[in-house]
Amino acid sequence: MIKQLSTAFLLLLLISCNQQPKKVSQELNSPNSKNNITFELNNGVPFYSVSHGEKSVISPSKLGFVFKNNDSLSSNFEVIKMETTSFDETWEQVWGEKKSIQNNYNQLSVLLQEKSENKRNLEVQFRAFDDGIAFRYIYPEQGKDSVFIMDELTQFNLKDDGDAWWIGAYQDNRYEYLTTKSPVSTLDTVHTPLTINSENGLSISFHEANLKDFASMTLERTNGTNLKSNLVPWADGDKVKTNGSFTTPWRTLQIAETPGDLITSYLILNLNDSNKFEDTSWIKPHKYLGIWWGMHIGKYSFWESPIQGATTTNAFEHIDYCEKLGIDHLLIEGWNKGWTPAWYENAMHQFNFTKEADNFDLEKVTEYAKSKGVSIIGYHETGSNIINYLAQIDEGMELYQKNGIHDVKIGQVGSRLNMKEWHHGQFGVNYYRQVLETAAKYQLTVNFHEPIKDTGERRTYPNMMAREGARGQEYNAWSDGNPPNHTAILPFTRFLAGPMDFTPGVLDVEIKQGYEGRDVHTTAAKQLALYVVLYSPIQMLADLPENYDGNPAFKFLQDVPVDWEDTKVLNAEIGEYITTVRKDKYSDDWYLGSLTNEESRSFHIDLSFLDKDVTYEAQIYADEIGTTWNKNATKVAITSKEVKSSDILKINLSEGGGTAIRFKKL
Ligand code: NOJ
């Protein structure tokens, strides 16, 4: 698939004659020529800049590293070789928001060499896609058995200011904060994805792809609108420890003309390696009930007590609910020894991954589940005691495999791994990768909570289903909760990285069995819309099963798929509203999810995404007139009507509300 666009520019001759000009520069265009990267070596210092059409996006920005002992690899270079290639392929996702994805880019690879006696090489690979740009560094093995990166000097000098949606890096609750909106020129150090509505009219988002054996990149504002890579350090201050060579993750910038186009950009996935697994038959996207929300709202406890959630009796009852409600997966948390009322405090907790709590019998529960056609989802809470977990991981996973379990949720509650390392430093990156690979050995899919950010690993390891990595539904159970605009921001920020286990579907938004004064700040109809707007191959039906039983709105949750043929965003403004439609991978049906922040809105939806000349039954779940996120919020109006692709459908969303629609082909 790789096509040579131009023969390598062999500059060797010039170098040997000491004739390399003071300035070497090379341009790279995306296949549709809209996105453009310019590489420049100016007096030995490498720079890159980025533009979109006539608009400059990134002004000349420096590249390079500082190694231990202030050893800088950022100047005094000459270009040894430049090569431009192009690539075009369409590949299929094992599961996902779109079945077939086109990976089409032009690449410029620049080999630099220091002019000093060290003569160290550094390769920079640039890729220009129609939906953005990316680049990475390759530092080849060159005579040293260890290299320690103390700083990455990569700059991202934004030409224009703009509104940025961000969460601050280096906080104890990892990524679990509300998103702030403010001008780029006021940022401190922030996590990626960092999404910006630029003053130049473009929507852009910084992130990284294929993060392995490296530290996560956060972005630090140095001055004005200039940002710089800020790698998350080890406890001892090193940023990245290597065996003498390294390849960085791709530094990515998605570039779109509308915010909705950021969501249907697959650049991050395209920059990951293809699927490693030959057999994926054990990997099944699914919806699941749980013995879970009850713990968060205070109805049950995680630990052994008179109200323990994970007892054999309660598990049997939940399995019966699964059968009755037609849901084939059940998550059970708190079934093992090690839980205490202080399980969430920072400490080296001693969870045991093979010993059951006294009132819980794993074998009996999994056998009963099997007899009812239900799969149990296992749970490993590590409490961030990684030493304890890794010592037991094989036994713990083997036990699940022996009991026919194929899915495991893995938690890392705590401010630091082993009370020492940031979750998102190189230590954490390697830890999460090790767990994912171990899980694959036991044919287990993984749902990480308190994860590191997603950088597209699911393409290579399709058992990497979803992760948390933002404030999920649980915050509504025991804190001031997530404001109505939260889920109007997440699709443009956290979800650009990959699927999130947000755990939607709390239809009793007033949480009648919960703590005094706590509720979910959406209408029930908006909870339904989340299943279409927030993509994940595993979707929890988070509410207590008794709140679903007999509730007509639950029909939508039974019907809505988790694996899609195609996705389109029909309208979107970051933090305001979004309407997404997705086509089921296994039928001709389409589903729509539309949601708003605190403002009520009406939309005229052009149904031209439907097949021409056929009739669909639109099954509409909307906010009942008079409901808002804090008044009569549980009321869902369910109606149906026949529609065609030539129709325009008007939908009304109340304050903090939403609409969910199944378009059933007749
Ligand atoms: C936090 C996770 O997000 C939640 O889903 C889990 O129930 C608790 N930790 C307990 O591990």
Side-chain angles (χ1 to χ4, degrees):
M1 287 288 175
I2 296 193
K3 199 172 82 195
Q4 206 90 347
L5 275 188
S6 61
T7 12
F9 302 122
L10 285 176
L11 301 173
L12 279 167
L13 194 65
L14 290 174
I15 292 158
S16 58
C17 310
N18 236 346
Q19 277 176 7
Q20 187 159 129
K22 283 217 152 60
K23 198 163 162 173
V24 176
S25 107
Q26 180 66 36
E27 280 202 12
L28 180 74
N29 288 321
S30 62
N32 70 0
S33 295
K34 276 226 166 145
N35 292 323
N36 171 283
I37 307 173
T38 304
F39 169 78
E40 218 170 79
L41 188 72
N42 204 338
N43 278 320
V45 180
F47 292 87
Y48 76 98
S49 49
V50 179
S51 58
H52 176 87
E54 297 295 296
K55 295 173 179 170
S56 158
V57 180
I58 305 264
S59 319
S61 297
K62 284 190 184 167
L63 298 159
F65 294 93
V66 178
F67 298 150
K68 219 164 211 153
N69 303 322
N70 245 339
D71 170 17
S72 170
L73 182 72
S74 58
S75 60
N76 201 23
F77 283 118
E78 55 195 358
V79 173
I80 296 293
K81 185 176 170 185
M82 286 203 277
E83 188 173 46
T84 313
T85 52
S86 77
F87 187 83
D88 189 4
E89 139 191 285
T90 298
W91 57 280
E92 280 202 2
Q93 297 210 76
V94 174
W95 46 261
E97 60 279 66
K98 186 177 167 73
K99 189 171 160 199
S100 300
I101 293 184
Q102 190 187 9
N103 184 10
N104 186 200
Y105 60 81
N106 293 326
Q107 171 169 308
L108 168 68
S109 140
V110 182
L111 184 60
L112 299 167
Q113 189 175 72
E114 276 180 311
K115 284 191 271 182
S116 63
E117 62 192 47
N118 276 341
K119 292 232 175 290
R120 288 178 298 191
N121 289 337
L122 180 68
E123 182 182 345
V124 191
Q125 292 179 344
F126 296 95
R127 286 189 186 169
F129 298 82
D130 291 345
D131 53 349
I133 63 98
F135 59 91
R136 69 174 173 184
Y137 301 92
I138 298 173
Y139 182 85
E141 219 286 306
Q142 34 203 335
K144 281 206 169 170
D145 53 15
S146 62
V147 166
F148 298 90
I149 301 175
M150 305 307 287
D151 197 11
E152 179 183 327
L153 300 174
T154 310
Q155 297 177 331
F156 305 91
N157 294 335
L158 279 166
K159 164 75 176 31
D160 295 303
D161 208 343
D163 285 327
W165 281 263
W166 55 273
I167 52 172
Y170 302 114
Q171 302 190 72
D172 283 346
N173 270 341
R174 307 157 303 271
Y175 306 94
E176 294 172 26
Y177 293 90
L178 293 176
T179 313
T180 305
K181 175 186 175 188
S182 71
V184 175
S185 53
T186 64
L187 295 184
D188 188 4
T189 301
V190 299
H191 279 301
T192 70
L194 169 66
T195 301
I196 297 164
N197 267 347
S198 173
E199 280 173 359
N200 66 17
L202 297 171
S203 294
I204 59 176
S205 186
F206 289 101
H207 193 46
E208 54 185 320
N210 202 357
L211 170 58
K212 61 176 181 219
D213 199 13
F214 212 77
S216 298
M217 179 180 76
T218 65
L219 292 174
E220 169 192 338
R221 190 176 65 88
T222 48
N223 64 300
T225 53
N226 293 347
L227 308 177
K228 175 189 163 295
S229 165
N230 175 310
L231 298 176
V232 176
W234 287 75
D236 65 9
D238 293 350
K239 299 276 173 78
V240 181
K241 301 175 194 286
T242 80
N243 293 329
S245 65
F246 61 86
T247 298
T248 67
W250 292 94
R251 276 69 188 89
T252 62
L253 180 61
Q254 284 157 282
I255 305 175
E257 292 181 1
T258 68
D261 288 345
L262 287 175
I263 293 172
T264 46
S265 152
Y266 302 102
L267 179 140
I268 306 282
L269 283 177
N270 278 332
L271 288 161
N272 275 268
D273 303 334
S274 53
N275 175 13
K276 268 194 163 200
F277 304 158
E278 267 172 32
D279 175 19
T280 54
S281 58
W282 50 279
I283 301 172
K284 298 210 167 67
H286 55 261
K287 289 175 284 191
Y288 66 102
L289 286 173
I291 301 186
W292 180 79
W293 186 238
M295 273 84 113
H296 287 270
I297 64 173
K299 178 180 180 185
Y300 302 134
S301 72
F302 284 102
W303 57 96
E304 294 178 275
S305 81
I307 56 160
Q308 185 183 6
T311 62
T312 304
T313 317
N314 203 21
F316 274 43
E317 266 173 36
H318 277 74
I319 292 165
D320 292 343
Y321 265 124
C322 282
E323 190 187 26
K324 188 167 181 201
L325 298 169
I327 301 302
D328 59 10
H329 280 70
L330 175 70
L331 166 72
I332 305 179
E333 296 200 3
W335 66 269
N336 56 327
K337 287 278 184 192
W339 291 88
T340 68
W343 63 270
Y344 53 84
E345 283 175 9
N346 278 316
M348 291 296 264
H349 297 283
Q350 298 294 321
F351 288 98
N352 186 304
F353 300 94
T354 46
K355 259 203 180 137
E356 295 130 315
D358 293 345
N359 285 330
F360 190 84
D361 186 327
L362 184 66
E363 205 177 310
K364 260 198 191 154
V365 168
T366 48
E367 262 172 23
Y368 185 65
K370 204 166 158 208
S371 74
K372 301 278 179 175
V374 173
S375 297
I376 298 298
I377 302 174
Y379 189 55
H380 284 171
E381 175 54 69
T382 66
S384 273
N385 184 343
I386 302 313
I387 299 170
N388 181 52
Y389 185 43
L390 292 183
Q392 300 178 58
I393 188 170
D394 278 284
E395 283 168 276
M397 290 191 168
E398 208 179 334
L399 176 70
Y400 282 151
Q401 190 183 41
K402 207 179 88 200
N403 283 287
I405 290 176
H406 280 296
D407 311 280
V408 58
K409 172 175 167 182
I410 303 172
Q412 278 73 213
V413 167
S415 299
R416 303 282 189 286
L417 300 178
N418 291 333
M419 307 302 110
K420 197 172 154 198
E421 301 290 351
W422 290 107
H423 285 57
H424 38 309
Q426 186 186 16
F427 175 84
V429 169
N430 289 348
Y431 156 73
Y432 288 98
R433 183 59 64 106
Q434 181 185 344
V435 174
L436 190 58
E437 285 176 351
T438 310
K441 218 168 72 189
Y442 296 99
Q443 299 209 325
L444 285 167
T445 74
V446 172
N447 169 14
F448 281 126
H449 275 230
E450 300 78 36
I452 42 163
K453 63 188 176 187
D454 196 333
T455 62
E457 293 80 1
R458 63 184 161 130
R459 179 172 180 198
T460 316
Y461 299 91
N463 66 325
M464 179 64 259
M465 307 303 273
R467 47 186 113 193
E468 195 184 31
R471 276 169 70 115
Q473 183 87 276
E474 65 192 28
Y475 275 78
N476 295 317
W478 38 253
S479 79
D480 287 347
N482 299 322
N485 72 355
H486 187 55
T487 45
I489 297 172
L490 286 179
F492 308 93
T493 52
R494 162 66 186 82
F495 275 86
L496 295 185
M500 175 183 175
D501 184 37
F502 181 80
T503 66
V506 174
L507 299 186
D508 175 23
V509 287
E510 291 161 1
I511 322 185
K512 293 189 195 70
Q513 297 190 56
Y515 299 112
E516 189 59 39
R518 301 290 181 218
D519 56 12
V520 177
H521 301 154
T522 74
T523 63
K526 180 167 169 178
Q527 288 289 313
L528 303 181
L530 294 177
Y531 287 81
V532 185
V533 173
L534 306 180
Y535 172 67
S536 175
I538 55 166
Q539 290 280 25
M540 189 172 205
L541 306 159
D543 211 342
L544 302 170
E546 59 262 38
N547 293 332
Y548 293 139
D549 197 10
N551 186 336
F554 187 66
K555 175 77 172 63
F556 183 81
L557 299 187
Q558 283 173 321
D559 293 341
V560 68
V562 283
D563 197 5
W564 305 97
E565 175 82 24
D566 200 8
T567 289
K568 295 176 197 286
V569 178
L570 301 186
N571 61 33
E573 271 313 324
I574 308 178
E576 302 284 319
Y577 59 85
I578 176 167
T579 305
T580 306
V581 289
R582 303 192 197 264
K583 181 175 180 293
D584 182 12
K585 194 159 158 187
Y586 302 100
S587 78
D588 290 328
D589 297 352
W590 282 81
Y591 288 77
L592 174 146
S594 182
L595 59 85
T596 176
N597 60 1
E598 292 77 358
E599 258 181 61
S600 64
R601 305 176 197 264
S602 295
F603 295 125
H604 290 91
I605 305 293
D606 178 341
L607 300 184
S608 55
F609 57 88
L610 297 174
D611 283 355
K612 307 256 162 305
D613 304 324
V614 260
T615 306
Y616 291 78
E617 180 194 350
Q619 301 168 355
I620 306 169
Y621 300 75
D623 299 314
E624 222 179 74
I625 294 172
T627 61
T628 65
W629 65 272
N630 57 4
K631 206 176 92 208
N632 296 326
T634 54
K635 300 269 184 275
V636 180
I638 306 175
T639 55
S640 98
K641 67 193 279 193
E642 291 195 356
V643 295
K644 285 205 155 74
S645 67
S646 49
D647 292 340
I648 303 285
L649 183 69
K650 185 174 179 218
I651 58 173
N652 300 310
L653 282 57
S654 67
E655 287 100 321
T659 296
I661 305 178
R662 175 186 184 184
F663 294 96
K664 192 172 181 322
K665 198 173 189 179
L666 296 177

